[in-house]
């Protein structure tokens, strides 16, 4: 399964986990889903916190994978950590099992 095909369910709504929604800390720039380069991945339970760089600005977002879901959060984490330095658009085409 490609990362862009992984979904999550929250309050009955099914959404794709990739590309992540991003927030910019400083400035009024809006980062569209799929823009930027992955710079860092940190794990907090079943949530992965991401740092993305776009046009010299840092942006943050997250990916949440349900605990009993396939692919597992472990598989998604491995792919993302191996993808640091790659474009967000490019990462969506990677296989996560």
């Amino acid at each position: 399964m490609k990362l862009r095909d992984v979904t999550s369910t929250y309050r009955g709504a099914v959404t794709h986990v990739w590309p992540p929604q991003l927030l910019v800390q400083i400035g009024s720039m809006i980062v569209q889903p799929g823009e930027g380069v992955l710079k860092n991945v940190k794990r907090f339970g079943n949530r992965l916190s991401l740092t993305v760089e776009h046009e010299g600005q840092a942006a943050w977002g997250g990916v949440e994978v349900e605990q009993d879901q396939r692919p597992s959060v472990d598989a998604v984490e491995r792919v993302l950590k191996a993808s640091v330095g790659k474009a967000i658009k490019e990462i969506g085409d990677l296989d996560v099992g």
Side-chain angles (χ1 to χ4, degrees):
M1 171 183 282
K2 298 201 181 298
L3 183 57
R4 65 176 147 69
D5 296 327
V6 176
T7 60
S8 182
T9 304
Y10 179 72
R11 295 187 179 179
V14 177
T15 59
H16 288 271
V17 301
W18 201 263
Q21 296 294 319
L22 301 171
L23 300 173
V24 178
Q25 182 180 17
I26 300 173
S28 59
M29 180 179 70
I30 297 173
V31 180
Q32 299 298 319
E35 292 182 336
V37 174
L38 183 62
K39 291 297 184 179
N40 194 20
V41 179
K42 292 183 183 177
R43 182 170 174 178
F44 301 95
N46 64 330
R47 183 168 175 75
L48 302 171
S49 176
L50 311 175
T51 304
V52 174
E53 185 177 286
H54 178 67
E55 295 182 1
Q57 294 279 339
W60 291 268
V63 172
E64 190 165 343
V65 180
E66 297 169 29
Q67 290 182 338
D68 58 351
Q69 181 175 327
R70 294 286 177 242
S72 68
V73 67
D74 293 331
V76 174
E77 179 184 25
R78 275 192 301 277
V79 167
L80 291 180
K81 285 190 171 184
S83 299
V84 169
K86 292 184 180 178
I88 297 299
K89 288 181 183 178
E90 186 180 328
I91 296 169
D93 289 328
L94 298 176
D95 186 28
V96 290

